[in-house]
Amino acid sequence: MSQGSALLRPVTLGDLVLPNRVVMAPTTRCRGCVPSELHALHYARRAAAGLIIAEGTWISPQAIGAYPNVPGLFAEEQVSGWRRVTDLVHALGGRIMVQLWHAGATPLTLPEITATIADYCTAARNARRAGFDGVEIAANGTYLIAQFLNPRLIRRTDAYRAGPRLLLDVLDAVLGTGCRVGVRLSPYWTATDSTPACPDYVPDEETLSRYDDLVRRLDSLAYLHLRGPTRFDLDAFTRYRKLFDGFLIANNGFGRESAEAAVESGLADAVSFARHFIANPDLVTRFALDQELSVADKAFNYTGGPAGYV
Ligand SMILES: Cc1cc2nc3c(=O)[nH]c(=O)nc-3n(C[C@H](O)[C@H](O)[C@H](O)COP(=O)(O)O)c2cc1C
């Protein structure tokens, strides 16, 4: 048993009480466009997480990217499918938010951007109707919002100029729906759509200072979910801890000991895990008992069906 584990100490996230700081990171698993009994089982088995952030979920048909069989929150059947998931997680004592995703596959004109912001709001309202405890705006990776933020990705001809405006407008609008809202950023993102992630990439000062300015402006959010560098580096989070005194969730490459260190030192309030939760639905128990972790078989990441998923 881990005595005095910082990771297993309860914490409040606004008015939500999390019994531990072990967060399940969003993981796209391509198990269907409409959440089914399979999704319910998957999330229910992980309900002991301090917080589940459900997989990237399309806000509208226009938001859909290259991944097939990804759920949305724009059709009634998706709302009721998710309701079954959230009811089960809540019945088991868990908390569950959902990541709102727009792939940004094609540049948008100004009227389309206005419509897209409205789509975020509709999806957030649907998330509430589906019983979610809040939404996470995906501003990470190579997707729509990150395309305006990260100089490595800026190649757009949209009416909005590159910069934080799109994200800030989306956040304002979604906060206006009364939802609990978190945001996910990846300032250290290395890959574009066509190049693989580079573990040695160090972002330049221009990139980092853009993100610094943005992070300083995120004070009304439930949390900031920060994906660290591809090559694990706890120190990378120090910069953001100084800029953001809200609830900070650290991610990317953490194990039990490094996560303990992050929370114990105050660098993060919680740590999220993707691959460990894929392979270990009982991750919180394994951490508590200091048990060995199983390793996920990547072959099942996006295959559909129960194998390697439940
Ligand atoms: C199968 C798989 C699916 C993922 N899907 C998403 C997603 O939907 N949204 C997202 O922001 N990140 C996604 N990620 C990234 C993870 O949330 C996380 O940032 C990454 O795996 C590093 O965390 P880890 O070291 O705990 O696995 C995914 C990762 C994996 C392995």
Side-chain angles (χ1 to χ4, degrees), residues 25-29 55-56 99 101 136 138 140 184 227 251-254 272-276 278 301-302:
T27 38
T28 294
R29 304 301 308 279
E55 65 207 81
Q99 188 184 55
W101 196 10
E136 172 176 290
N140 57 305
R184 188 165 210 209
R227 187 176 150 126
N251 169 256
N252 210 3
F254 282 88
S272 75
F273 302 88
R275 287 164 293 180
H276 286 326
I278 290 176
N301 273 358
Y302 308 115

Side-chain angles (χ1 to χ4, degrees), residues 28-34 39 55 58 66-71 302-304:
T28 294
R29 304 301 308 279
C30 301
R31 259 57 182 191
C33 305
V34 177
H39 294 79
E55 65 207 81
W58 306 127
Y67 285 94
N69 296 322
V70 168
Y302 308 115
T303 42

Side-chain angles (χ1 to χ4, degrees), residues 24-27 43 52-57 82 96-99 132:
M24 179 177 166
T27 38
Y43 287 107
I52 293 173
I53 306 166
E55 65 207 81
T57 296
W82 278 123
I96 180 165
M97 294 177 58
V98 61
Q99 188 184 55
F132 283 107

